[in-house]
């Protein structure tokens, strides 16, 4: 069953975030990849060499591998899967509104379409984040439709972060393969040969374990961020500095320095959705994950607390004030605003009667759809024009290098609420600001306007 040619023929079903990155990077490994999507506008854009998502490095890969013929795009699933050695499912699994469980409609319908189109044996790989048991269930769907074909289903979760997805794919910490078929695992080894030869650790396990590895990793990371956010709150009460605490804690090799940056809350299309699914799965199995449940609760409360922090910095009310908001994406280097804390925080400020002047380097079009009440401007300085306060919600690099003195001169007020701790407190105070950040000491010379800034 393992193909003789080291370069495989691969079909990727779903050209959203995960599918596109996977397809482009696998073409870079030398495989021939056809990426499929039902969205014809998306495919039309890709066929012109343009990326429908903002991801550093992706357009370069498209520019190399589309002309070489190693990377193709189509809306026609049957033509893409015919002849493929390996078919990767990378379709969406959004949470169901009713119960928080992942909605597997797209996974199931793609599986049925694949089975109907295939006339040869192939390895099916599920890359979408799916609840435990899904790989086994998809295999049953395939077997029911095509009992005569050997179509083993393997779990191969992705650990890509938006904004650094290509580097994450090319230099992963590990590869996880969940399989109960030795030959299918070998085809996956062949797929990832460049990474395995470069020494990437490989975890080969059961499909259930592989499915849970993805959720457990995201759950643990979400708890880590929620933990440092609560430590930041404690720092504010007792006069400690969370940046020093995080550094001192993170230098312990058993803990590590990553994911200890406090902020306005966890957003994005993965952590909120995956933590919810994980807790639902655990509850259904009678083994509740109370720590992850607490992280979800803390994250919901955090966004309201951050709006309170802005209100407090402006003397208790934002009604009638003009506020510059810098950053709407859930993190830098992405145009994604899904579950971004900025949305909840800005909605709360708008509801309280604030006028919001907003700017984001990449996510304004996306944010504008969610926040029709915001006035959008062309750059950070324009956002600060005549503002009473400026609030930083995403740590884009270009915000770190803003001239604070120039901003102070443009503004009507002098309040800087930095919910990503990107400025040195003393520098902000020296530029004339009342500076409020997260979990850090009040700099000398600061005018204390609120309890949360103290
Ligand atoms: C996350 C995981 O990091 C990836 O490994 C995983 O593949 C992906 O989910 C997924 O399941 O597909 P992503 O959602 O792109 O990746 O974003 P992260 O970089 O993990 O950030 C998530 C949220 O946590 C952001 O809102 C970010 O601002 C926040 N965060 C992260 C902090 O507030 N502090 C930190 O120290 C780290």
């Amino acid at each position: 069953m393992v193909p003789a040619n080291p370069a495989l023929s691969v079909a990727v079903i779903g050209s959203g975030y995960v599918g596109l990155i996977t397809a482009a990077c696998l073409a870079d490994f030398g495989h021939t990849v056809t990426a499929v999507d039902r969205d014809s506008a998306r495919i039309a854009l890709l066929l012109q060499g343009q990326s429908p998502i903002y991801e550093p490095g992706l357009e370069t890969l498209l520019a190399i591998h589309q002309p070489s013929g190693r990377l193709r795009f189509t809306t026609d699933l049957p033509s893409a899967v015919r002849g493929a050695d390996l078919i990767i499912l990378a379709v969406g699994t959004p949470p169901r509104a009713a119960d928080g469980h992942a909605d597997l409609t797209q996974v199931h319908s793609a599986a049925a379409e694949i089975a109907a189109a295939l006339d040869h044996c192939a390895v099916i790989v599920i890359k979408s984040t799916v609840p435990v048991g899904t790989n086994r269930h998809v295999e049953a769907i395939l077997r029911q439709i095509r009992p005569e074909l050997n179509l083993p289903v393997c779990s191969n979760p992705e650990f890509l972060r938006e904004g650094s997805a290509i580097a994450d794919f090319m230099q992963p910490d590990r590869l996880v393969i969940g399989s109960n078929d030795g030959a299918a695992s070998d085809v996956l080894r062949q797929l990832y040969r460049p990474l395995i030869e470069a020494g990437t650790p490989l975890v080969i396990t059961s499909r259930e374990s592989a499915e849970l590895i993805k959720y457990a990793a995201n759950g643990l990371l979400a708890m880590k961020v929620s933990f440092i956010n609560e430590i930041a709150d404690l720092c504010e009460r007792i006069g400690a500095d969370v940046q020093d605490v995080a550094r001192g804690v993170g230098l312990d090799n058993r803990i590590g320095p990553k994911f200890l940056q406090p902020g306005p809350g966890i957003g994005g299309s993965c952590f909120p959705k995956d933590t919810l699914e994980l807790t639902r799965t655990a509850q259904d199995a009678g083994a509740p994950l109370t720590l992850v449940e607490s992280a979800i609760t803390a994250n919901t409360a955090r966004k309201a607390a951050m709006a309170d922090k802005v209100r407090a910095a402006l003397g208790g009310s934002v009604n009638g004030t003009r506020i510059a908001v810098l950053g709407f994406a859930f993190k830098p280097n992405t145009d994604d605003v899904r579950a971004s804390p900025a949305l909840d925080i800005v909605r709360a400020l708008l509801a309280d009667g604030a006028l919001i002047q907003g700017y984001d380097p990449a996510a304004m079009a996306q944010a504008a759809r969610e926040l029709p009440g915001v006035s959008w401007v062309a750059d950070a300085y324009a956002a600060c024009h005549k503002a009473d306060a400026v609030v930083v919600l995403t740590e884009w690099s270009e915000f770190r290098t803003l001239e604070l003195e120039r901003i102070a001169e443009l503004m009507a007020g002098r309040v800087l609420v930095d919910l990503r701790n990107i400025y040195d407190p003393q520098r902000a105070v020296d530029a004339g600001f009342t500076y409020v950040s997260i979990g850090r000491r009040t700099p000398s010379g600061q005018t204390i306007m609120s309890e949360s800034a103290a």
Side-chain angles (χ1 to χ4, degrees), residues 402-419:
L402 289 172
E403 293 169 47
L404 294 184
E405 287 77 8
R406 185 174 156 202
I407 286 187
E409 274 170 30
L410 287 168
M411 289 173 59
R414 290 286 186 280
V415 174
L416 171 51
V417 183
D418 175 7
L419 298 181

Side-chain angles (χ1 to χ4, degrees), residues 17-18 129 158-163 168 174 214 218 221 225 228-229 258-271 274 330-332 339 341 395 420:
Y17 194 81
V18 172
T129 301
E158 54 82 20
F159 302 98
L160 310 177
R161 287 163 303 170
E162 291 190 24
D168 288 345
R174 78 298 207 187
K214 169 66 191 234
N218 276 1
L221 289 168
V225 177
I228 202 67
N229 282 343
K258 293 179 184 164
F259 279 71
L260 284 178
Q261 180 60 41
I266 295 165
S269 63
C270 304
F271 282 177
D274 294 350
F330 80 99
K331 64 175 188 176
E395 68 277 35
R420 294 287 184 174

Side-chain angles (χ1 to χ4, degrees), residues 2-23:
V2 183
N5 186 347
L8 298 171
S9 169
V10 181
V12 178
I13 314 303
S15 298
Y17 194 81
V18 172
L20 256 186
I21 302 290
T22 302

Side-chain angles (χ1 to χ4, degrees), residues 79-102:
S79 73
V81 300
R82 265 180 226 124
D85 301 306
L86 200 130
I87 298 161
I88 299 177
L89 285 183
V91 293
T93 54
R96 281 193 304 232
D99 59 5
H101 271 302

Side-chain angles (χ1 to χ4, degrees), residues 306-332:
M306 292 298 110
D308 283 345
K309 205 170 172 88
V310 176
R311 286 186 199 102
L314 277 158
S317 167
V318 294
N319 189 15
T321 62
R322 190 182 293 270
I323 301 177
V325 171
L326 304 184
F328 289 79
F330 80 99
K331 64 175 188 176

